[in-house]
Short mmCIF file of all heavy atoms in Angstrom, two decimals:
data_model
loop_
_atom_site.label_atom_id
_atom_site.label_comp_id
_atom_site.label_asym_id
_atom_site.label_seq_id
_atom_site.Cartn_x
_atom_site.Cartn_y
_atom_site.Cartn_z
N THR A 267 1.77 -85.77 8.87
CA THR A 267 1.41 -84.65 7.97
C THR A 267 2.31 -83.45 8.24
O THR A 267 2.65 -82.71 7.33
CB THR A 267 -0.08 -84.28 8.14
OG1 THR A 267 -0.43 -84.36 9.51
CG2 THR A 267 -0.97 -85.19 7.32
N GLY A 268 2.74 -83.28 9.51
CA GLY A 268 3.67 -82.19 9.84
C GLY A 268 4.97 -82.34 9.04
O GLY A 268 5.46 -81.38 8.43
N PHE A 271 4.36 -81.52 5.39
CA PHE A 271 4.31 -80.07 5.14
C PHE A 271 5.71 -79.45 5.24
O PHE A 271 6.06 -78.59 4.43
CB PHE A 271 3.35 -79.37 6.11
CG PHE A 271 1.90 -79.60 5.77
CD1 PHE A 271 0.99 -80.01 6.74
CD2 PHE A 271 1.43 -79.39 4.48
CE1 PHE A 271 -0.34 -80.23 6.42
CE2 PHE A 271 0.10 -79.61 4.14
CZ PHE A 271 -0.79 -80.03 5.12
N ARG A 272 6.52 -79.91 6.21
CA ARG A 272 7.88 -79.35 6.32
C ARG A 272 8.68 -79.63 5.05
O ARG A 272 9.41 -78.77 4.55
CB ARG A 272 8.61 -79.95 7.55
CG ARG A 272 8.29 -79.18 8.84
CD ARG A 272 9.05 -79.71 10.03
NE ARG A 272 8.54 -80.97 10.52
CZ ARG A 272 7.42 -81.10 11.25
NH1 ARG A 272 6.73 -80.04 11.59
NH2 ARG A 272 7.02 -82.28 11.66
N TYR A 288 0.21 -70.73 6.99
CA TYR A 288 -0.50 -71.26 8.17
C TYR A 288 0.51 -71.82 9.17
O TYR A 288 0.45 -71.55 10.37
CB TYR A 288 -1.47 -72.37 7.75
CG TYR A 288 -2.52 -71.88 6.78
CD1 TYR A 288 -2.34 -71.98 5.41
CD2 TYR A 288 -3.68 -71.29 7.25
CE1 TYR A 288 -3.29 -71.51 4.53
CE2 TYR A 288 -4.66 -70.82 6.37
CZ TYR A 288 -4.44 -70.93 5.02
OH TYR A 288 -5.39 -70.47 4.15
N TYR A 289 1.42 -72.62 8.64
CA TYR A 289 2.42 -73.31 9.47
C TYR A 289 3.19 -72.32 10.35
O TYR A 289 3.32 -72.52 11.56
CB TYR A 289 3.38 -74.07 8.54
CG TYR A 289 4.41 -74.91 9.26
CD1 TYR A 289 4.28 -76.29 9.34
CD2 TYR A 289 5.54 -74.33 9.85
CE1 TYR A 289 5.21 -77.06 9.99
CE2 TYR A 289 6.47 -75.09 10.51
CZ TYR A 289 6.30 -76.46 10.58
OH TYR A 289 7.23 -77.21 11.24
N GLY A 292 1.47 -71.18 13.40
CA GLY A 292 0.98 -72.20 14.33
C GLY A 292 -0.47 -72.57 14.07
O GLY A 292 -1.11 -73.21 14.89
N ASN A 293 -0.99 -72.12 12.89
CA ASN A 293 -2.38 -72.48 12.53
C ASN A 293 -2.41 -73.77 11.74
O ASN A 293 -1.40 -74.19 11.17
CB ASN A 293 -2.99 -71.37 11.66
CG ASN A 293 -3.38 -70.17 12.49
OD1 ASN A 293 -3.90 -70.32 13.61
ND2 ASN A 293 -3.12 -68.98 11.96
N LEU A 294 -3.59 -74.37 11.66
CA LEU A 294 -3.73 -75.58 10.85
C LEU A 294 -3.84 -75.21 9.38
O LEU A 294 -4.48 -74.22 9.02
CB LEU A 294 -4.99 -76.35 11.26
CG LEU A 294 -5.00 -76.96 12.66
CD1 LEU A 294 -6.26 -77.79 12.86
CD2 LEU A 294 -3.76 -77.81 12.93
N VAL A 295 -3.22 -76.03 8.55
CA VAL A 295 -3.36 -75.91 7.10
C VAL A 295 -4.82 -76.30 6.78
O VAL A 295 -5.37 -77.19 7.44
CB VAL A 295 -2.35 -76.86 6.41
CG1 VAL A 295 -2.50 -76.81 4.90
CG2 VAL A 295 -0.92 -76.51 6.84
N THR A 300 -4.98 -80.63 3.33
CA THR A 300 -4.43 -81.70 4.16
C THR A 300 -5.00 -83.06 3.75
O THR A 300 -4.26 -84.03 3.60
CB THR A 300 -4.75 -81.41 5.65
OG1 THR A 300 -4.33 -80.08 5.95
CG2 THR A 300 -4.04 -82.38 6.55
N GLY A 321 -0.27 -86.96 13.82
CA GLY A 321 -0.61 -85.56 13.53
C GLY A 321 -1.77 -85.42 12.54
O GLY A 321 -2.04 -84.32 12.05
N PHE A 322 -2.43 -86.48 12.24
CA PHE A 322 -3.60 -86.48 11.37
C PHE A 322 -4.54 -87.57 11.86
O PHE A 322 -4.07 -88.64 12.20
CB PHE A 322 -3.21 -86.76 9.91
CG PHE A 322 -4.40 -86.77 8.98
CD1 PHE A 322 -4.85 -85.61 8.38
CD2 PHE A 322 -5.09 -87.95 8.73
CE1 PHE A 322 -5.95 -85.62 7.54
CE2 PHE A 322 -6.19 -87.97 7.90
CZ PHE A 322 -6.62 -86.80 7.30
N PRO A 323 -5.86 -87.36 11.93
CA PRO A 323 -6.57 -86.11 11.67
C PRO A 323 -6.42 -85.14 12.83
O PRO A 323 -6.10 -85.53 13.94
CB PRO A 323 -8.02 -86.57 11.53
CG PRO A 323 -8.13 -87.82 12.36
CD PRO A 323 -6.78 -88.48 12.27
N ARG A 324 -6.67 -83.87 12.54
CA ARG A 324 -6.58 -82.83 13.56
C ARG A 324 -7.87 -82.05 13.68
O ARG A 324 -7.94 -81.12 14.49
CB ARG A 324 -5.46 -81.86 13.21
CG ARG A 324 -4.19 -82.12 14.03
CD ARG A 324 -3.11 -81.35 13.36
NE ARG A 324 -2.11 -80.79 14.17
CZ ARG A 324 -0.84 -81.20 14.13
NH1 ARG A 324 -0.50 -82.27 13.44
NH2 ARG A 324 0.07 -80.55 14.80
N GLN A 328 -11.52 -83.56 9.07
CA GLN A 328 -10.48 -84.48 8.56
C GLN A 328 -10.82 -85.92 8.95
O GLN A 328 -10.65 -86.86 8.15
CB GLN A 328 -9.11 -84.10 9.12
CG GLN A 328 -8.56 -82.79 8.57
CD GLN A 328 -7.20 -82.42 9.15
OE1 GLN A 328 -6.53 -83.21 9.81
NE2 GLN A 328 -6.78 -81.18 8.92
N ARG A 391 12.74 -75.81 15.78
CA ARG A 391 11.72 -75.45 14.80
C ARG A 391 11.13 -74.09 15.14
O ARG A 391 10.94 -73.79 16.31
CB ARG A 391 10.59 -76.50 14.83
CG ARG A 391 10.91 -77.74 14.06
CD ARG A 391 9.93 -78.86 14.31
NE ARG A 391 8.53 -78.47 14.38
CZ ARG A 391 7.53 -79.35 14.52
NH1 ARG A 391 7.80 -80.64 14.59
NH2 ARG A 391 6.28 -78.95 14.59
N ASP A 393 8.21 -73.13 14.90
CA ASP A 393 6.95 -73.24 15.63
C ASP A 393 7.13 -73.85 17.02
O ASP A 393 6.16 -74.10 17.72
CB ASP A 393 5.88 -73.97 14.80
CG ASP A 393 6.24 -75.40 14.46
OD1 ASP A 393 7.44 -75.73 14.47
OD2 ASP A 393 5.32 -76.20 14.20
N ARG A 402 -0.18 -73.01 19.14
CA ARG A 402 -0.45 -74.41 18.75
C ARG A 402 -1.25 -75.13 19.82
O ARG A 402 -2.10 -75.96 19.51
CB ARG A 402 0.87 -75.14 18.48
CG ARG A 402 1.49 -74.73 17.15
CD ARG A 402 2.94 -75.12 17.08
NE ARG A 402 3.12 -76.56 16.97
CZ ARG A 402 4.19 -77.21 17.39
NH1 ARG A 402 5.18 -76.54 17.98
NH2 ARG A 402 4.30 -78.51 17.23
P1 AMP B 701 3.33 -81.15 13.69
O1 AMP B 701 4.73 -81.40 13.28
O2 AMP B 701 2.47 -82.38 13.59
O3 AMP B 701 3.22 -80.49 15.04
O4 AMP B 701 2.70 -80.12 12.62
C1 AMP B 701 3.29 -78.85 12.39
C2 AMP B 701 2.32 -77.94 11.64
O5 AMP B 701 1.96 -78.55 10.38
C3 AMP B 701 1.01 -77.68 12.33
O6 AMP B 701 1.10 -76.63 13.30
C4 AMP B 701 0.12 -77.28 11.13
O7 AMP B 701 0.42 -76.00 10.66
C5 AMP B 701 0.60 -78.27 10.06
N1 AMP B 701 -0.15 -79.55 10.15
C6 AMP B 701 0.34 -80.78 10.46
N2 AMP B 701 -0.62 -81.71 10.42
C7 AMP B 701 -1.76 -81.06 10.09
C8 AMP B 701 -3.13 -81.47 9.93
N3 AMP B 701 -3.51 -82.75 10.11
N4 AMP B 701 -4.03 -80.52 9.60
C9 AMP B 701 -3.68 -79.23 9.40
N5 AMP B 701 -2.43 -78.77 9.58
C10 AMP B 701 -1.47 -79.67 9.92
#
Side-chain angles (χ1 to χ4, degrees):
T267 39
F271 285 131
R272 275 183 285 284
Y288 299 93
Y289 184 103
N293 283 320
L294 294 185
V295 178
T300 308
F322 180 88
R324 258 166 146 113
Q328 291 179 12
R391 279 169 42 176
D393 63 337
R402 285 163 70 207

